Amino acid sequence: MIQKKNETLGTIMAVCGGICWGFSGCCGQFLFEAKGAKAPWLVSLRLLFAGLIMIAVGFSLHGRRNMDILKKKADTLRLLLFAFCGISLCQFTYFMAIEASNAGTATVLQYLSPVLILLVVCFREKRYPGWLELAAIFLSLLGTFVLGTHGNIHTFYITGNALFWGLAAAVSSVLYNMIPGSLILRYDIYQVLGFGMFFGGVLMCVLFRPWEYELIWDTETGAALISVIVIGTAVAFGLYLQGVSMIGPLKGSILASVEPLSAVIISVFWLGTSFAPADFLGFGMILGAVLMLTAAQGKMSDPI
C-alpha cells in the first residue's frame, strides 16, 4: 500500500514538474508577444537568477560541500563547457524558437533531441539502429515534415526562422544532455545545474546586456518573469527529480513528454495560439517517436 502511494505521488510530482516547464515556455511567449521582451534578455536573466536559486538550494542541502564541484580543475573546465556550450546555448535557441513561433511548436521541435542522441550513440558504438529505433527516426522526420508543410511539399506553414531555431534547440539539447558526462553522476544536480546556469547567465549578461533592453514593465511582466525563473526552474526541477527518485528514470522520461503537451494546451487556452489539425498530427508523430525510443531503451535495460 505504501509503495503504491509512493508511486502515485512520484507520478504526480513528475507530471507537475513537466507541466511547470511547459508553463514556463508559455510565460516566455507571453513576454515576447505582449510585453516586447526579447529572447536574449529573458535567457540572460533566467539563467543568472535561476542559477543563484539552485546554488542556494544546493548549499541548504550540502553546506560547504556544494563547492566541491569547483575544487578540481578538470571538473571545473567541464562545468564551464556545460555552462557555455550546453545550458546557455540550449536555453538561447529554445527561447529564440518560441519568439519565432510559439511555446508549443518550439517545445515539440526541441523534443527531436532524443532521436539525435540516438544517432550519436549509434555512431559511437559503431552499430546500426534497431528496428524500433529506425521506426522512431522515420516517425520523427515525418512529424517534422508534416509540422512544417502540412503534407504539401510546395508550401511552408512554419517560417524558416522558426524551423531553424527549433532544430537548433534540438541540437543544443543534445549538447546539454551529453556534455556534463560523469559530472551528473559524481555531483548533485543542484550543483551542476546551479553553477552551470549561473556561469552561463553571467556570460549571457556580458554578451547581451539585458539592462539595455526596453520593454513594458508592469505587474504582469514581473509575474511572468518570476514564473520563468522560479516555477520553470527551481520548482520544476525539484518536483520532477523528486518524482523520478520515487518512480524511476524510465517512467519519469515517459512522463516528461507532458512538457510539450502542456505547452501546446496552455498556449491555446491562455495565449490564444491557433494550431491546424496537421500541426497536432506532426506533434503526435514527434512525441510518438520519443515514446518509442523510451520503450526501446526499456527493452535494452531489461534483464535477460
Side-chain angles (χ1 to χ4, degrees), residues 16-163:
C16 288
I19 292 174
C20 286
W21 278 320
F23 175 67
S24 172
C26 291
C27 286
Q29 181 181 336
F30 170 75
L31 288 169
F32 300 149
E33 294 179 349
K35 303 301 177 181
K38 297 295 181 183
W41 170 84
L42 180 58
V43 174
S44 300
L45 296 182
R46 183 193 187 187
L47 289 177
L48 183 66
F49 290 105
L52 289 172
I53 291 173
M54 297 195 77
I55 288 173
V57 173
F59 274 112
S60 69
L61 294 173
H62 307 292
R64 292 182 179 179
R65 289 187 293 113
N66 197 50
M67 299 291 292
D68 287 352
I69 194 171
L70 301 177
K71 292 181 178 180
K72 295 181 179 180
K73 184 178 180 180
D75 290 345
T76 302
L77 290 176
R78 181 172 284 273
L79 176 66
L80 291 174
L81 182 65
F82 170 64
F84 301 151
C85 300
I87 195 165
S88 294
L89 188 62
C90 182
Q91 289 291 300
F92 179 71
T93 53
Y94 172 62
F95 278 103
M96 285 295 292
I98 292 178
E99 186 177 333
S101 56
N102 55 73
T105 301
T107 307
V108 171
L109 285 174
Q110 189 184 46
Y111 261 64
L112 287 168
S113 59
V115 177
L116 300 180
I117 292 174
L118 166 65
L119 296 177
V120 173
V121 170
C122 288
F123 177 78
R124 281 184 172 180
E125 297 178 355
K126 298 179 180 180
R127 68 173 178 87
Y128 292 105
W131 69 268
L132 195 59
E133 294 171 331
L134 282 173
I137 293 172
F138 174 77
L139 193 60
S140 66
L141 292 175
L142 184 60
T144 305
F145 170 78
V146 171
L147 186 61
T149 67
H150 288 188
N152 183 355
I153 61 174
H154 302 292
T155 306
F156 251 75
Y157 287 87
I158 184 174
T159 67
N161 198 33
L163 185 60

Side-chain angles (χ1 to χ4, degrees), residues 87-288:
I87 195 165
S88 294
L89 188 62
C90 182
Q91 289 291 300
F92 179 71
T93 53
Y94 172 62
F95 278 103
M96 285 295 292
I98 292 178
E99 186 177 333
S101 56
N102 55 73
T105 301
T107 307
V108 171
L109 285 174
Q110 189 184 46
Y111 261 64
L112 287 168
S113 59
V115 177
L116 300 180
I117 292 174
L118 166 65
L119 296 177
V120 173
V121 170
C122 288
F123 177 78
R124 281 184 172 180
E125 297 178 355
K126 298 179 180 180
R127 68 173 178 87
Y128 292 105
W131 69 268
L132 195 59
E133 294 171 331
L134 282 173
I137 293 172
F138 174 77
L139 193 60
S140 66
L141 292 175
L142 184 60
T144 305
F145 170 78
V146 171
L147 186 61
T149 67
H150 288 188
N152 183 355
I153 61 174
H154 302 292
T155 306
F156 251 75
Y157 287 87
I158 184 174
T159 67
N161 198 33
L163 185 60
F164 169 80
W165 286 114
L167 295 177
V171 172
S172 61
S173 185
V174 174
L175 298 175
Y176 167 79
N177 280 280
M178 301 192 78
I179 287 177
S182 60
L183 288 181
I184 298 294
L185 301 176
R186 291 184 287 114
Y187 298 100
D188 188 271
I189 192 71
Y190 289 102
Q191 294 173 289
V192 178
L193 277 180
F195 286 108
M197 285 183 172
F198 175 73
F199 292 139
V202 171
L203 175 67
M204 295 290 285
C205 286
V206 171
L207 292 176
F208 296 110
R209 295 177 294 220
W211 54 86
E212 294 183 356
Y213 283 76
E214 294 183 3
L215 65 154
I216 301 172
W217 274 106
D218 55 20
T219 304
E220 290 181 336
T221 303
L225 179 60
I226 291 173
S227 296
V228 171
I229 294 172
V230 179
I231 296 179
T233 306
V235 175
F237 277 105
L239 286 171
Y240 180 75
L241 292 173
Q242 182 60 38
V244 167
S245 70
M246 300 169 73
I247 62 176
L250 181 60
K251 188 175 181 180
S253 63
I254 296 174
L255 294 175
S257 297
V258 75
E259 178 188 353
L261 293 177
S262 65
V264 170
I265 293 171
I266 294 171
S267 65
V268 168
F269 288 98
W270 175 31
L271 303 173
T273 305
S274 60
F275 296 101
D279 292 323
F280 290 108
L281 178 61
F283 293 160
M285 289 178 175
I286 293 173
L287 295 180

